């Protein structure tokens, strides 16, 4: 017998513990094929159908309701091969049990969800975590997320998202690892390893699903779901490599993107899902559509009705239809009209069953899930410690005139919309527990800071009385900690915005404090790069916390009081203004560079009103100490690597970490290559006054570029190597590749 948890988390009722071992043990490929031969056409189509868990809602212990919207019978609903969305250990067991009672061939269900930056214990949003420049840390966060998520009954997470992003108007930039392809490769791979581990049968692990294939992050105008039009040159060099890195790390699923790429919706795009994904990128796992994307083929205008949409998706290479039921509804007709579809369906079913088999579901369809394990795993203290660490490593110090770190004796007036808000988990923290979030106020108090007054304000309205009251509260020697930001829903899915400044009233409050010569430290909570020109002008220090997750307030306090030294760097540039978008550090050269002294001043590639460079570039981030970074000798070639020698010195009086970044450019190339591209980096920690001589390897492979007509090519000749730890100041070296 196992215990059930009621809503308050207490153990109350008891249910019978079902037989853990069902009739099949782990199968080999041949047995899977035999199983497929035993299946009816409908049963096969069921396996490629994924329905939301709400269609299997539980009231008490009763499973209820067929969803009429789907247009399928209760019986057909139970043919589905996988379920996505809200779950817990008890409902997973109940649904699986009913499935097995109904399933003629005893095929277990598979449960999936979006565990993007934590399940119930929430880590910072991925864009923030990429700023740690520490893939090892993110691997650990993914491992922890898998422990929590699997204990609640899931086997697959729709993560990592490795869409390269250059447009902060797009709300989903928070979910990506930023504008750089290499960072997306490294962090995507680390997350896959963290979720999946060595052996997927380990019940603590989750299968990962990398998304959204491809170029979803290039939505025109930054408007979510909008079409993207990206050259093959850029797709191959920038957008595809992170998917390849995840595939090489063994990722089990790939999700097709919502949008139409170069005129063809990704869900019905055989070039993308077969030629590129299967042949070029060598993916052998399962392709899943995005939510409802199969039926959206009608809206895209490439299918007339449901049956055609399902057929196009299946034929193009989709193996699981998410949240709609076109294929299962129309399969009989398809096979009569298009007999070749049966073999395609068989292949899709095989992919699904292989995945279930690898997850060990045929041996234990419950995968060791029980409410006790669930209670033990969820939100345990070790997980919170990891979330705290991740939040401190991800924050980026953008400005500091010396006001930070604060001493704990400094009287603080804490105000702004995030002063005591728990809404700091960030978008895509679907199952995160908001009540667990540590607010800035909690964090400062827990650290023993002297908090004189807390004045919570709204996001979009700060009345004159409120701002007067704040000003009047401040005495000489006080510091105002102003916790500003965008509401959570301003970013994330469907969170596109045309204006990327903070709400006007937040800026007015900051300005007023500045005009009264009140020292102000701004803490920022947001899911996208913002236009911070005014914040930079009026604040004494700016600490970008992003959406930092469950431990956000503790992390903010540790950083403000200097218990932790900020070390995060931006993984996405903060534009000077939205007119600069799209913007990234790895722009291609032009025939008329702005810095070119020969060219007449006007006829250059430039804006007449703003600089070309972003306000804060990729790779930028301050610390409470200063580092000297020096190239330390010649680059040496060793096996498949070029070793760049660098000496780093901590010039200040505080221990800290910095990220040494290595970029390359090619002096002369067959194509107009970006002036600089990140190829390697290393984060190091140094005591005050200490130096370290390090060697940073550039993998030879990272020099290769996809060149039209030639494919992947390592060009010979002169390269420029640029070394920096702030994305602003670079030291140059030369490298000759023979
Ligand atoms: C999102 C996906 C997500 C899916 C399932 C869609 O709206 O685009 O990223 O995995 O929903 O929740």
């Amino acid at each position: 017998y196992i215990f059930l948890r009621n809503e308050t988390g207490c153990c109350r009722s008891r249910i019978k513990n079902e037989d853990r071992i069902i009739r099949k043990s782990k199968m080999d490929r041949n047995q899977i094929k035999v199983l497929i031969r035993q299946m009816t056409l409908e049963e096969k189509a069921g396996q490629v159908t994924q329905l939301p868990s709400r269609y299997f809602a539980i009231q008490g212990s009763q499973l209820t309701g067929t969803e009429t919207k789907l247009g399928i019978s209760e019986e057909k609903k139970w043919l589905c091969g996988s379920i996505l969305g809200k779950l817990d250990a008890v409902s997973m067991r109940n649904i699986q049990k009913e499935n097995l009672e109904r399933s003629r061939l005893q095929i277990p269900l598979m449960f999936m969800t979006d565990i993007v930056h934590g399940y119930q214990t929430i880590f910072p949003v991925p864009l923030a975590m990429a700023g740690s420049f520490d893939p090892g840390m993110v691997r650990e966060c993914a491992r922890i997320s898998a422990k929590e998520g699997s204990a609640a009954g899931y086997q697959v997470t729709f993560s990592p998202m490795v869409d390269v992003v250059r447009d902060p108007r797009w709300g989903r930039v928070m979910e990506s690892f930023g504008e750089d392809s290499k960072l997306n490769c490294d962090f995507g791979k680390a997350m896959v390893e963290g979720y999946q581990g060595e052996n997927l049968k380990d019940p603590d692990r989750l299968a990962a699903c990398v998304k959204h294939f491809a170029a979803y992050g290039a939505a025109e105008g930054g408007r979510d779901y909008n079409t993207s039009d990206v050259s093959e040159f850029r797709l191959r060099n920038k957008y595809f490599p992170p998917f390849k890195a995840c595939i090489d790390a063994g990722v089990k699923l790939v999700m097709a993107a919502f949008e139409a790429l170069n005129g063809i919706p990704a869900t019905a795009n055989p070039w993308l899902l077969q030629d590129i994904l299967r042949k070029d990128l060598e993916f052998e796992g399962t392709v899943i559509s995005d939510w409802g994307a199969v039926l959206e083929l009608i809206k895209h205008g490439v299918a007339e009705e449901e049956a055609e949409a399902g057929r196009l998706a299946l034929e193009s290479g989709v193996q699981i239809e998410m949240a709609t039921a076109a294929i299962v509804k129309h399969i009989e007709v398809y096979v009569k009209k298009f007999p070749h579809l049966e073999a395609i369906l068989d292949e899709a079913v095989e992919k699904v069953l292989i995945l279930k088999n690898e997850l060990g579901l045929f041996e234990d369809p419950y995968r060791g899930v029980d409410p006790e394990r669930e209670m033990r795993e969820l939100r345990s203290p070790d997980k919170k410690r990891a979330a705290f660490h991740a939040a401190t490593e991800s924050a980026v110090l953008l400005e500091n005139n010396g006001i930070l770190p604060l001493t704990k004796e400094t009287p603080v007036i804490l105000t702004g919309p995030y002063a005591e808000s728990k809404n700091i988990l960030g978008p895509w923290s679907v199952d995160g527990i908001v009540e667990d979030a540590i607010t800035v106020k909690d964090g400062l108090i827990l650290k023993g800071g002297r908090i004189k007054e807390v004045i919570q304000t709204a996001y979009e309205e700060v009345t004159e009385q409120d701002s007067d009251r704040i000003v009047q509260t401040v005495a000489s020697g006080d510091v105002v900690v102003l916790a500003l930001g965008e509401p959570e829903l301003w970013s994330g899915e469907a969170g596109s915005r045309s204006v990327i400044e903070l709400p006007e009233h937040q800026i007015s409050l900051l300005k007023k404090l500045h005009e009264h010569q009140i020292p102000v430290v701004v803490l920022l909570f947001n899911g996208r790069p913002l236009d911070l020109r005014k914040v930079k002008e009026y604040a004494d220090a700016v600490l970008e916390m992003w959406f930092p997750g469950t431990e956000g307030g503790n992390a903010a306090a540790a950083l403000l009081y200097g218990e932790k030294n900020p070390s995060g760097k931006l993984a996405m540039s903060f534009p000077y203004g939205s007119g600069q978008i799209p913007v990234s550090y790895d722009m291609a050269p032009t025939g008329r560079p702005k810095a070119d002294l020969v060219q007449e001043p006007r006829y250059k590639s430039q804006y007449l009103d703003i600089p070309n460079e972003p306000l804060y570039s990729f790779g930028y981030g301050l610390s409470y100490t200063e580092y000297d970074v020096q190239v330390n000798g010649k680059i040496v070639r060793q096996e498949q690597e070029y070793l760049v020698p660098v000496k780093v010195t901590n010039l200040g009086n505080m221990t800290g970490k910095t990220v040494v970044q290595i970029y390359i450019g090619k002096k002369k190339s067959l194509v107009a290559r970006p002036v600089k591209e990140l190829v390697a980096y290393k984060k190091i920690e140094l005591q005050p006054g200490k130096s370290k001589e390090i060697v940073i390897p550039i993998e030879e492979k990272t020099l290769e570029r996809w060149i039209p007509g030639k494919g992947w090519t390592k060009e010979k000749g002169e390269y420029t190597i640029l070394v920096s730890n702030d994305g602003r100041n670079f030291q140059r070296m030369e490298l000759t590749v023979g």
Side-chain angles (χ1 to χ4, degrees), residues 84 114 158 172 175 211-212 216 255 258 290-291 322 428 493:
L84 84 153
D114 293 273
F158 300 125
R172 296 191 81 166
E175 222 181 314
K211 63 192 187 184
H212 307 84
Y216 178 40
M255 187 185 292
F258 273 128
D290 203 340
W291 178 289
M322 188 198 288
W428 284 115
E493 186 170 348

Side-chain angles (χ1 to χ4, degrees), residues 324-370:
T324 53
I327 298 172
V328 74
K329 269 161 85 176
H330 302 284
I331 195 67
E332 307 276 354
V333 183
Y334 291 169
V335 173
K336 264 190 216 126
K337 268 173 88 181
F338 311 97
H340 71 284
L341 273 182
E342 190 161 4
I344 296 178
L345 178 66
D346 282 0
E347 228 177 277
V349 176
E350 192 179 351
K351 299 277 184 209
V352 173
L353 295 182
I354 288 173
L355 181 57
K356 291 184 176 183
N357 194 37
E358 285 176 334
L359 284 160
L361 283 167
F362 284 102
E363 291 142 285
D364 178 6
Y366 302 98
R367 245 172 141 243
V369 167
D370 64 57

